[in-house]
Amino acid sequence: MTNIEIFKESFIKYEGYKDVLEGLKATIIIAVLGLFIGIIIGTIIATVKIIPKKNGITNVLSKIGDFYVWIFRGTPIVVQLLLFYYVFLPLMHVRIPSMIVATCVFGLNSGAYVSEIMRSGIQSVDIGQLEGSRALGLPFTKSMIKVIIPQAIKNIIPTLGNEFITLLKDTSVVSFIAVMDITKAFQSIAGGNYEYIVPYCVLALFYLTLVSLVTLLVKLAERRLKQSDRK
Amino acid sequence: MIENSIEKTIDFNQPFNNDYLIKISGLYKNFGKVKVLKGVSTQIKKGEKVVILGPSGGGKSTILRCMNLLETPTYGEIWFEGKLLTPVDPYLHKEIIRNAKTYKKLFSEIKSFNPALSDDEADETVIKEIKDKDLLKKYEGKEYKAEMKKLYKEFFQDINLTRQKIGMVFQHFNLFNNLTVLGNMTLAPVQLKLKTKEEAEKKAMELLKKVNLEDKANVYPSTLSGGQKQRIAIVRSLMMEPDVMLFDEPTSALDPEMVGEVLELMKSLANEGMTMVVVTHEMGFAKEVASRVLFIDEGIIKEENNPKEFFSKPKDPRLKEFLSKVL
């Protein structure tokens, strides 16, 4: 049997494709939800950081934000996964499915990066936009949500796309806490009959396809959001 | 720290009368170490058209931006329709100063040094000394604090509420780039629940029709010319039905051929009786529309007069120089 035939056999006959599909689902869910959580956390931190006149509460929040970014940018994602799954949660006597833990850790991790991206995005919006909105009587938070953040997101779509691609590829480490992702699925196919060449090449193709799709989506989103710039 | 000139224009015993829209008392503004405003006091009555002139860097825009608190004054108070927008400035209220520990100490000192002095005279001397030498400390006793709080509680109003009644037009238009013209106009009234979406859109279309831009309702601001943007910005403010409109150099960023259309709109607003405060370099507009002209230089009001006297018989030497350059 050739390598390809061996792969075909384990992929179809021994139902390896089921694992792969399940893994693909897990990979996409962790990456998409992770980015979603990350954008929410990142936007809140960035907004708190750029409040012009700080009072006691916002000052403390801003410090907490700094600390959070320091922790999550300063440690590898694998270490964060291991710590949450094997240390913090058992210490608190909480049992959560590893899939959910992975999603949350990826969300928290990307929140740290997105907060910096979002901050530069917000700062790239002309201060006059905020003044215009505040002068009409709209409170700070409403002005941010309705006027500033939509423009900031438009400015950072390419960078955010980058962040998503990184996140998508980084999910390949979730098998450390026993999540069945696409990497894990191909690993078990490869391990089943000691044939590595084809499964790992196909795995790489899967990631390449996913990333290409994301790149395309980002381009489309960029073009759509450029609408308001067009002369 | 309080200039004597303030005393002439502000009646301290009646800070709450209602015949003015905006009252500025003893306004100081520092940007870091740079002192931009050094004691400005003025009142703007309903229906007045006040034009603020002066060389650049003199503090014209800062005064305007303090009126709706886009800049926070360092000292002084801003009042709008009988409501206080800033924290209480103790130096502006004799009854607060009289409750301060420093005042009581100085008062008894002055009385023991000079027993012949009447209470009223002593009171006047001490208050003057405290104001001149900036003697009030952060903590001046319970009664002082209570007096401050009482005033604040009675008259302070949240700035977001006030800003709904103060329209502002900026040099660089500041139309929201992420919204269409219609979206720009309806955002604030709808979000603040002053109007339903349908009401707001109807009103917006009426206003757009008035400025002949109804065909631009659904385009984004980036497709408009400067003059069109500024006219939209003006009607966007009008959506809130403001009691006063502030104009911060509304024509300075426009091509010369577009200045006219914006000034026309401002004139028609003035004719409809809108109270206006305008920072501008358009002398023609000041002569034609203003009911009062202020000359601001070096952070103070150097001259204040009706346009006729202001332009024909300037008294201040800096104003004479300024007018000879620009006219």
Side-chain angles (χ1 to χ4, degrees):
Chain A
M1 275 206 292
T2 62
N3 289 344
I4 294 183
E5 279 163 352
I6 297 172
F7 175 68
K8 264 189 184 165
E9 196 185 52
S10 54
F11 193 71
I12 297 164
K13 197 173 159 199
Y14 296 114
E15 300 196 318
Y17 69 92
K18 279 189 177 164
D19 281 356
V20 169
L21 280 181
E22 199 187 313
L24 189 65
K25 206 172 96 189
T27 297
I28 292 173
I29 286 176
I30 295 173
V32 171
L33 280 184
L35 185 75
F36 184 71
I37 297 171
I39 289 178
I40 291 173
I41 295 177
T43 308
I44 294 170
I45 294 180
T47 308
V48 168
K49 275 195 183 174
I50 58 120
I51 290 175
K53 283 169 230 153
K54 288 207 169 76
N55 59 29
I57 302 164
T58 51
N59 239 333
V60 170
L61 285 177
S62 167
K63 289 269 151 54
I64 293 174
D66 282 340
F67 181 73
Y68 163 82
V69 172
W70 178 64
I71 293 288
F72 278 91
R73 278 203 313 192
T75 52
I77 182 95
V78 181
V79 177
Q80 290 162 18
L81 282 171
L82 294 175
L83 275 175
F84 271 88
Y85 192 64
Y86 292 114
V87 182
F88 297 147
L89 294 177
L91 272 180
M92 292 189 288
H93 302 289
V94 190
R95 283 185 64 89
I96 299 176
S98 56
M99 177 72 185
I100 295 174
V101 177
T103 309
C104 292
V105 170
F106 270 85
L108 287 166
N109 182 278
S110 86
Y113 290 93
V114 174
S115 77
E116 289 299 297
I117 298 172
M118 191 59 87
R119 191 163 64 108
S120 72
I122 290 173
Q123 278 165 347
S124 72
V125 178
D126 178 28
I127 182 75
Q129 296 284 311
L130 183 62
E131 286 181 350
S133 169
R134 295 305 306 276
L136 286 166
L138 288 167
F140 179 78
T141 320
K142 257 201 176 125
S143 307
M144 290 304 285
I145 293 170
K146 290 289 171 186
V147 178
I148 308 300
I149 289 173
Q151 295 184 50
I153 287 185
K154 195 181 84 182
N155 291 344
I156 60 169
I157 282 285
T159 333
L160 220 49
N162 232 351
E163 168 65 19
F164 184 56
I165 288 169
T166 312
L167 202 64
L168 188 69
K169 291 185 297 181
D170 279 353
T171 55
S172 60
V173 300
V174 289
S175 60
F176 270 86
I177 58 165
V179 176
M180 172 67 110
D181 76 322
I182 189 169
T183 303
K184 184 72 190 169
F186 277 99
Q187 252 176 352
S188 50
I189 291 176
N193 36 30
Y194 304 107
E195 203 292 296
Y196 300 104
I197 303 173
V198 181
Y200 285 165
C201 286
V202 174
L203 174 61
L205 279 178
F206 261 90
Y207 276 114
L208 258 179
T209 315
L210 281 177
V211 170
S212 308
L213 271 175
V214 173
T215 314
L216 196 72
L217 283 176
V218 170
K219 278 212 176 109
L220 283 176
E222 240 180 294
R223 203 174 305 164
R224 241 194 92 82
L225 287 165
K226 276 249 163 73
Q227 230 174 23
S228 55
D229 285 345
R230 223 176 293 156
K231 290 275 165 191
Chain B
M1 55 166 274
I2 301 298
E3 305 223 340
N4 289 338
S5 63
I6 298 165
E7 304 267 352
K8 286 175 212 153
T9 47
I10 302 297
D11 181 358
F12 283 102
N13 297 322
Q14 283 189 312
F16 324 122
N17 63 23
N18 247 330
D19 62 340
Y20 60 87
L21 273 183
I22 300 177
K23 190 176 80 170
I24 299 173
S25 324
L27 181 65
Y28 285 71
K29 175 69 189 174
N30 304 342
F31 288 110
K33 281 188 177 156
V34 186
K35 291 178 176 163
V36 181
L37 298 180
K38 303 169 196 165
V40 173
S41 300
T42 189
Q43 305 186 22
I44 288 146
K45 287 197 179 69
K46 205 168 159 51
E48 258 193 315
K49 286 98 183 95
V50 178
V51 171
I52 302 179
L53 298 177
S56 36
K60 311 185 291 293
S61 287
T62 311
I63 293 181
L64 202 72
R65 290 165 59 84
C66 279
M67 288 183 192
N68 66 354
L69 250 54
L70 283 183
E71 303 289 353
T72 320
T74 313
Y75 303 105
E77 287 175 1
I78 314 271
W79 291 75
F80 177 76
E81 293 182 341
K83 292 288 178 190
L84 180 64
L85 311 187
T86 55
V88 176
D89 185 344
Y91 287 100
L92 296 175
H93 303 278
K94 282 182 179 166
E95 70 277 10
I96 292 180
I97 296 179
R98 285 192 190 108
N99 279 300
K101 276 183 173 170
T102 312
Y103 171 89
K104 289 168 188 163
K105 207 177 109 214
L106 285 176
F107 190 83
S108 58
E109 268 176 23
I110 220 167
K111 284 291 261 187
S112 60
F113 274 127
N114 195 347
L117 213 62
S118 77
D119 277 7
D120 282 354
E121 281 168 329
D123 175 70
E124 209 171 289
T125 329
V126 171
I127 286 180
K128 191 175 180 307
E129 177 149 344
I130 285 177
K131 280 185 183 179
D132 288 349
K133 294 189 182 158
D134 193 2
L135 290 177
L136 289 180
K137 295 186 206 74
K138 227 176 179 155
Y139 185 73
E140 287 280 0
K142 267 188 197 147
E143 293 157 42
Y144 169 84
K145 213 171 162 183
E147 194 73 25
M148 290 256 272
K149 231 180 202 166
K150 199 180 97 194
L151 199 68
Y152 185 81
K153 244 191 171 164
E154 189 170 358
F155 294 104
F156 183 76
Q157 178 171 291
D158 178 52
I159 185 60
N160 288 325
L161 219 57
T162 313
R163 279 179 179 149
Q164 296 178 13
K165 289 282 140 207
I166 306 180
M168 180 143 191
V169 176
F170 298 85
Q171 184 177 358
H172 296 288
F173 330 123
N174 296 354
L175 292 178
F176 309 136
N177 298 323
N178 58 324
L179 298 172
T180 61
V181 166
L182 204 59
N184 263 279
M185 295 177 70
T186 54
L187 179 72
V190 173
Q191 285 298 318
L192 296 168
K193 301 198 167 66
L194 302 172
K195 287 189 174 71
T196 66
K197 197 159 178 277
E198 290 72 35
E199 284 168 0
E201 277 173 5
K202 190 163 160 263
K203 168 115 184 162
M205 290 313 290
E206 278 167 21
L207 283 167
L208 283 176
K209 201 165 184 187
K210 201 176 132 190
V211 291
N212 279 326
L213 288 170
E214 68 254 63
D215 54 327
K216 301 289 185 191
N218 293 311
V219 306
Y220 284 93
S222 56
T223 61
L224 301 170
S225 75
Q228 289 171 333
K229 280 184 195 173
Q230 196 60 299
R231 277 146 64 204
I232 301 282
I234 292 172
V235 289
R236 181 178 73 175
S237 299
L238 292 178
M239 284 293 291
M240 302 294 293
E241 291 157 15
D243 294 340
V244 56
M245 291 277 285
L246 312 177
F247 292 85
D248 188 2
E249 305 202 21
T251 56
S252 299
L254 296 178
D255 291 341
E257 53 182 330
M258 292 174 178
V259 171
E261 59 189 69
V262 171
L263 290 182
E264 272 317 306
L265 177 57
M266 288 168 65
K267 277 176 204 165
S268 79
L269 259 181
N271 289 336
E272 285 165 23
M274 176 65 76
T275 313
M276 293 161 73
V277 186
V278 188
V279 171
T280 186
H281 295 291
E282 297 290 331
M283 298 299 152
F285 180 82
K287 279 181 190 167
E288 195 181 330
V289 178
S291 53
R292 180 155 59 105
V293 187
L294 303 183
F295 178 66
I296 309 273
D297 185 33
E298 296 167 336
I300 53 170
I301 299 177
K302 286 255 169 93
E303 190 150 338
E304 175 172 3
N305 217 330
N306 62 52
K308 215 173 172 187
E309 300 268 317
F310 184 91
F311 288 106
S312 59
K313 293 174 205 151
K315 291 174 210 98
D316 183 77
R318 275 291 289 134
L319 174 59
K320 282 180 193 160
E321 191 191 327
F322 178 78
L323 288 178
S324 72
K325 274 183 200 156
V326 294
L327 288 181

Coordinates of all heavy atoms in Angstrom, one line a residue, chain A residues 31-89:
Chain A
A31 N -11.3 29.7 17.8 CA -10.7 30.9 17.3 C -11.7 32.0 17.2 O -11.5 33.1 17.6 CB -10.1 30.5 15.9
V32 N -13.0 31.7 16.7 CA -14.0 32.7 16.5 C -14.5 33.3 17.8 O -14.4 34.5 18.0 CB -15.1 32.2 15.6 CG1 -16.3 33.2 15.6 CG2 -14.7 31.9 14.2
L33 N -14.8 32.4 18.7 CA -15.3 32.9 20.0 C -14.2 33.6 20.8 O -14.4 34.6 21.4 CB -15.9 31.7 20.8 CG -17.3 31.2 20.5 CD1 -17.7 30.1 21.5 CD2 -18.2 32.4 20.6
G34 N -13.0 33.0 20.6 CA -11.8 33.6 21.3 C -11.6 35.1 20.8 O -11.5 36.0 21.6
L35 N -11.7 35.3 19.5 CA -11.5 36.6 19.0 C -12.7 37.5 19.5 O -12.5 38.7 19.8 CB -11.5 36.6 17.5 CG -11.2 38.0 16.9 CD1 -9.7 38.3 17.1 CD2 -11.6 38.1 15.4
F36 N -13.9 37.0 19.5 CA -15.1 37.7 19.9 C -14.9 38.2 21.3 O -15.0 39.4 21.6 CB -16.3 36.8 19.7 CG -17.6 37.5 20.1 CD1 -18.1 38.5 19.2 CD2 -18.3 37.2 21.2 CE1 -19.3 39.2 19.5 CE2 -19.5 37.9 21.5 CZ -20.0 38.9 20.7
I37 N -14.5 37.3 22.2 CA -14.3 37.6 23.6 C -13.2 38.6 23.7 O -13.2 39.6 24.4 CB -13.9 36.4 24.5 CG1 -15.1 35.4 24.5 CG2 -13.6 36.8 25.9 CD1 -14.8 34.1 25.1
G38 N -12.1 38.4 22.9 CA -10.9 39.3 22.9 C -11.3 40.7 22.5 O -10.8 41.6 23.1
I39 N -12.2 40.8 21.5 CA -12.5 42.2 21.0 C -13.3 42.9 22.1 O -13.1 44.1 22.4 CB -13.4 42.1 19.7 CG1 -12.5 41.7 18.6 CG2 -14.0 43.4 19.4 CD1 -13.2 41.5 17.2
I40 N -14.2 42.1 22.8 CA -15.0 42.8 23.8 C -14.1 43.2 25.0 O -14.1 44.4 25.4 CB -16.1 41.8 24.4 CG1 -17.2 41.6 23.3 CG2 -16.8 42.4 25.6 CD1 -18.2 40.6 23.6
I41 N -13.3 42.3 25.5 CA -12.3 42.7 26.5 C -11.4 43.8 26.1 O -11.2 44.8 26.8 CB -11.5 41.5 27.0 CG1 -12.4 40.4 27.6 CG2 -10.4 41.9 28.0 CD1 -11.7 39.1 28.0
G42 N -10.8 43.6 24.9 CA -9.9 44.6 24.4 C -10.5 46.0 24.3 O -9.9 47.0 24.6
T43 N -11.7 46.1 23.8 CA -12.4 47.3 23.6 C -12.6 48.0 24.9 O -12.4 49.2 25.1 CB -13.7 47.2 22.9 OG1 -13.5 46.4 21.7 CG2 -14.3 48.5 22.5
I44 N -13.1 47.2 25.9 CA -13.3 47.8 27.2 C -12.0 48.4 27.8 O -12.0 49.5 28.3 CB -13.9 46.8 28.2 CG1 -15.3 46.4 27.7 CG2 -14.0 47.3 29.6 CD1 -16.0 45.2 28.4
I45 N -11.0 47.6 27.8 CA -9.7 48.0 28.3 C -9.2 49.3 27.6 O -8.8 50.3 28.2 CB -8.6 46.9 28.2 CG1 -9.0 45.8 29.2 CG2 -7.2 47.5 28.7 CD1 -8.1 44.6 29.1
A46 N -9.3 49.2 26.3 CA -8.8 50.4 25.5 C -9.6 51.6 25.8 O -9.0 52.7 26.0 CB -8.8 50.1 24.0
T47 N -10.9 51.5 25.9 CA -11.8 52.6 26.2 C -11.4 53.2 27.6 O -11.3 54.4 27.8 CB -13.2 52.2 26.2 OG1 -13.5 51.6 25.0 CG2 -14.1 53.4 26.3
V48 N -11.3 52.3 28.6 CA -10.9 52.8 29.9 C -9.6 53.6 29.9 O -9.5 54.6 30.5 CB -10.9 51.6 30.9 CG1 -10.2 52.1 32.2 CG2 -12.2 51.1 31.2
K49 N -8.7 53.0 29.1 CA -7.3 53.7 29.1 C -7.3 55.0 28.4 O -6.5 55.9 28.8 CB -6.4 52.8 28.3 CG -5.7 51.7 29.2 CD -4.6 51.1 28.4 CE -3.9 50.0 29.2 NZ -2.9 49.3 28.5
I50 N -8.3 55.3 27.5 CA -8.2 56.6 26.8 C -9.1 57.6 27.4 O -9.2 58.7 26.9 CB -8.4 56.5 25.3 CG1 -9.8 55.8 25.0 CG2 -7.3 55.7 24.6 CD1 -10.7 56.7 24.3
I51 N -9.9 57.3 28.5 CA -10.7 58.3 29.1 C -9.9 59.5 29.5 O -8.9 59.4 30.1 CB -11.4 57.7 30.4 CG1 -12.4 56.7 30.0 CG2 -12.1 58.8 31.2 CD1 -13.0 56.0 31.2
P52 N -10.3 60.7 29.0 CA -9.5 61.9 29.1 C -9.3 62.3 30.6 O -8.2 62.6 31.0 CB -10.2 62.9 28.3 CG -11.6 62.5 28.1 CD -11.5 61.0 28.2
K53 N -10.5 62.4 31.3 CA -10.3 62.9 32.7 C -10.6 61.7 33.6 O -11.7 61.3 33.8 CB -11.4 64.0 33.0 CG -11.0 65.3 32.4 CD -12.1 66.3 32.4 CE -12.3 66.9 31.1 NZ -13.7 67.3 30.9
K54 N -9.5 61.2 34.2 CA -9.7 60.0 35.0 C -10.1 60.4 36.4 O -9.6 61.4 37.0 CB -8.4 59.3 35.1 CG -8.0 58.6 33.7 CD -7.2 57.4 34.0 CE -7.0 56.5 32.7 NZ -6.1 57.1 31.7
N55 N -11.0 59.6 37.0 CA -11.3 59.7 38.4 C -10.8 58.5 39.1 O -10.2 57.6 38.5 CB -12.8 60.0 38.6 CG -13.6 58.8 38.1 OD1 -13.2 57.7 38.0 ND2 -14.8 59.1 37.7
G56 N -11.1 58.3 40.4 CA -10.6 57.2 41.2 C -10.9 55.8 40.5 O -10.0 55.0 40.3
I57 N -12.2 55.6 40.2 CA -12.6 54.3 39.7 C -11.9 54.0 38.4 O -11.3 52.9 38.2 CB -14.1 54.2 39.5 CG1 -14.8 54.5 40.8 CG2 -14.6 52.9 39.0 CD1 -16.3 54.9 40.7
T58 N -12.0 54.9 37.4 CA -11.4 54.6 36.1 C -9.9 54.5 36.2 O -9.3 53.8 35.4 CB -11.7 55.7 35.1 OG1 -11.4 57.0 35.7 CG2 -13.2 55.7 34.8
N59 N -9.3 55.2 37.2 CA -7.8 55.0 37.4 C -7.5 53.6 37.8 O -6.6 53.0 37.3 CB -7.4 56.0 38.5 CG -6.3 56.9 37.9 OD1 -5.6 56.5 37.0 ND2 -6.2 58.1 38.5
V60 N -8.3 53.1 38.7 CA -8.1 51.7 39.2 C -8.3 50.7 38.0 O -7.5 49.8 37.8 CB -9.0 51.4 40.4 CG1 -9.0 49.9 40.7 CG2 -8.6 52.2 41.6
L61 N -9.4 50.9 37.3 CA -9.7 50.1 36.2 C -8.6 50.1 35.2 O -8.2 49.0 34.6 CB -11.0 50.5 35.5 CG -12.3 50.2 36.2 CD1 -13.5 50.8 35.5 CD2 -12.5 48.7 36.4
S62 N -8.0 51.2 34.9 CA -6.9 51.4 34.0 C -5.7 50.6 34.4 O -5.0 49.9 33.7 CB -6.6 52.8 33.8 OG -5.4 53.0 33.1
K63 N -5.4 50.6 35.8 CA -4.3 49.9 36.3 C -4.5 48.4 36.2 O -3.6 47.6 35.8 CB -4.1 50.2 37.8 CG -3.6 51.6 38.0 CD -2.0 51.6 38.1 CE -1.4 52.9 37.6 NZ -2.0 54.1 38.3
I64 N -5.8 48.0 36.5 CA -6.1 46.5 36.3 C -5.9 46.1 34.9 O -5.4 45.0 34.6 CB -7.6 46.3 36.7 CG1 -7.8 46.5 38.3 CG2 -8.0 44.9 36.4 CD1 -9.2 46.4 38.7
G65 N -6.3 47.0 34.0 CA -6.1 46.7 32.5 C -4.6 46.5 32.2 O -4.3 45.5 31.5
D66 N -3.8 47.4 32.7 CA -2.4 47.2 32.5 C -1.8 45.9 33.0 O -1.0 45.2 32.4 CB -1.6 48.4 33.2 CG -1.7 49.7 32.5 OD1 -2.0 49.6 31.3 OD2 -1.6 50.8 33.1
F67 N -2.3 45.6 34.2 CA -1.8 44.3 34.9 C -2.2 43.1 34.0 O -1.4 42.2 33.8 CB -2.4 44.2 36.3 CG -2.0 43.0 37.0 CD1 -0.7 42.9 37.6 CD2 -2.9 41.9 37.2 CE1 -0.3 41.8 38.2 CE2 -2.5 40.8 37.9 CZ -1.2 40.7 38.4
Y68 N -3.5 43.1 33.6 CA -4.0 42.1 32.8 C -3.2 41.9 31.5 O -2.8 40.8 31.1 CB -5.5 42.4 32.5 CG -6.1 41.6 31.4 CD1 -6.6 40.3 31.6 CD2 -6.2 42.2 30.1 CE1 -7.1 39.6 30.5 CE2 -6.8 41.5 29.0 CZ -7.3 40.2 29.3 OH -7.8 39.5 28.2
V69 N -2.9 43.0 30.8 CA -2.2 42.9 29.6 C -0.8 42.4 29.8 O -0.2 41.5 29.1 CB -2.1 44.3 28.9 CG1 -1.1 44.3 27.7 CG2 -3.5 44.7 28.4
W70 N -0.2 42.8 31.0 CA 1.2 42.4 31.3 C 1.2 40.9 31.5 O 2.1 40.2 31.0 CB 1.6 43.1 32.6 CG 2.9 42.8 33.2 CD1 4.1 43.0 32.5 CD2 3.2 42.1 34.4 NE1 5.2 42.5 33.3 CE2 4.6 42.0 34.5 CE3 2.4 41.6 35.5 CZ2 5.3 41.4 35.6 CZ3 3.0 41.0 36.5 CH2 4.4 40.9 36.6
I71 N 0.2 40.4 32.2 CA 0.2 38.9 32.5 C 0.0 38.1 31.2 O 0.7 37.2 30.9 CB -0.9 38.6 33.5 CG1 -0.7 39.2 34.9 CG2 -1.2 37.1 33.6 CD1 0.4 38.5 35.6
F72 N -1.0 38.5 30.4 CA -1.4 37.7 29.3 C -0.4 37.8 28.1 O -0.4 36.9 27.3 CB -2.8 37.9 28.9 CG -3.8 37.1 29.8 CD1 -4.3 37.6 30.9 CD2 -4.1 35.8 29.4 CE1 -5.1 36.9 31.7 CE2 -5.0 35.1 30.2 CZ -5.5 35.6 31.4
R73 N 0.3 38.9 28.0 CA 1.2 39.0 26.9 C 2.6 38.5 27.4 O 3.4 38.1 26.6 CB 1.4 40.5 26.5 CG 0.4 41.0 25.6 CD 0.8 42.1 24.7 NE 1.5 43.1 25.6 CZ 1.8 44.3 25.1 NH1 1.5 44.7 23.9 NH2 2.3 45.2 25.9
G74 N 2.8 38.3 28.7 CA 4.1 38.0 29.2 C 4.3 36.5 29.4 O 5.4 36.0 29.7
T75 N 3.2 35.7 29.2 CA 3.3 34.2 29.3 C 2.8 33.5 28.1 O 1.9 34.0 27.4 CB 2.5 33.7 30.5 OG1 1.2 34.2 30.4 CG2 3.1 34.2 31.8
P76 N 3.4 32.4 27.7 CA 3.0 31.7 26.5 C 1.6 31.1 26.7 O 1.1 30.8 27.8 CB 4.0 30.5 26.3 CG 5.0 30.8 27.3 CD 4.5 31.7 28.3
I77 N 0.8 31.0 25.6 CA -0.5 30.6 25.6 C -0.6 29.1 26.2 O -1.6 28.8 26.9 CB -1.2 30.7 24.2 CG1 -2.7 30.3 24.2 CG2 -0.5 29.9 23.2 CD1 -3.6 31.4 24.4
V78 N 0.4 28.3 25.8 CA 0.3 26.9 26.3 C 0.4 26.9 27.8 O -0.4 26.2 28.5 CB 1.5 26.1 25.8 CG1 1.5 24.7 26.3 CG2 1.6 26.2 24.3
V79 N 1.2 27.8 28.4 CA 1.4 27.8 29.8 C 0.1 28.3 30.5 O -0.4 27.8 31.5 CB 2.5 28.8 30.2 CG1 2.6 28.9 31.7 CG2 3.8 28.3 29.6
Q80 N -0.6 29.3 29.8 CA -1.9 29.8 30.3 C -2.9 28.7 30.3 O -3.7 28.5 31.3 CB -2.4 30.9 29.5 CG -1.5 32.2 29.7 CD -1.7 33.2 28.5 OE1 -2.7 33.1 27.8 NE2 -0.8 34.1 28.4
L81 N -2.9 27.9 29.2 CA -3.9 26.8 29.1 C -3.6 25.8 30.3 O -4.6 25.4 31.0 CB -3.7 26.0 27.8 CG -4.4 26.7 26.6 CD1 -3.9 25.9 25.3 CD2 -5.9 26.6 26.7
L82 N -2.4 25.4 30.4 CA -2.0 24.4 31.5 C -2.4 24.9 32.8 O -3.0 24.2 33.7 CB -0.5 24.1 31.4 CG -0.1 23.4 30.1 CD1 1.4 23.2 30.1 CD2 -0.8 22.0 30.0
L83 N -2.0 26.2 33.1 CA -2.3 26.8 34.4 C -3.8 26.8 34.7 O -4.2 26.4 35.8 CB -1.8 28.2 34.5 CG -0.3 28.4 34.9 CD1 0.1 29.8 34.8 CD2 -0.1 27.8 36.3
F84 N -4.6 27.2 33.8 CA -6.0 27.3 34.0 C -6.6 25.9 34.2 O -7.4 25.7 35.1 CB -6.8 28.0 32.8 CG -6.8 29.5 33.0 CD1 -5.8 30.4 32.6 CD2 -7.9 30.1 33.7 CE1 -5.9 31.7 32.8 CE2 -8.0 31.5 33.9 CZ -7.0 32.3 33.5
Y85 N -6.2 25.0 33.3 CA -6.9 23.7 33.3 C -6.4 22.8 34.4 O -7.2 22.1 35.0 CB -6.7 23.0 32.0 CG -7.6 21.8 31.8 CD1 -9.0 22.0 31.7 CD2 -7.1 20.5 31.7 CE1 -9.8 20.9 31.5 CE2 -7.9 19.4 31.5 CZ -9.3 19.6 31.4 OH -10.1 18.6 31.3
Y86 N -5.1 22.9 34.7 CA -4.6 21.9 35.7 C -4.3 22.5 37.1 O -4.1 21.8 38.0 CB -3.3 21.3 35.2 CG -3.6 20.3 34.0 CD1 -3.1 20.6 32.7 CD2 -4.3 19.2 34.2 CE1 -3.3 19.8 31.7 CE2 -4.6 18.3 33.1 CZ -4.1 18.7 31.9 OH -4.3 17.8 30.8
V87 N -4.3 23.9 37.1 CA -4.0 24.5 38.4 C -5.2 25.3 39.0 O -5.7 25.0 40.0 CB -2.7 25.4 38.3 CG1 -2.4 26.0 39.7 CG2 -1.6 24.6 37.7
F88 N -5.5 26.4 38.3 CA -6.5 27.3 38.9 C -7.9 26.7 39.1 O -8.4 26.7 40.2 CB -6.7 28.6 38.0 CG -5.4 29.4 37.9 CD1 -5.1 30.0 36.7 CD2 -4.5 29.4 39.0 CE1 -3.9 30.8 36.6 CE2 -3.3 30.2 38.9 CZ -3.0 30.8 37.7
L89 N -8.4 26.0 38.1 CA -9.8 25.5 38.2 C -9.8 24.3 39.2 O -10.7 24.3 40.1 CB -10.3 25.0 36.8 CG -10.5 26.2 35.9 CD1 -11.0 25.7 34.5 CD2 -11.5 27.2 36.4

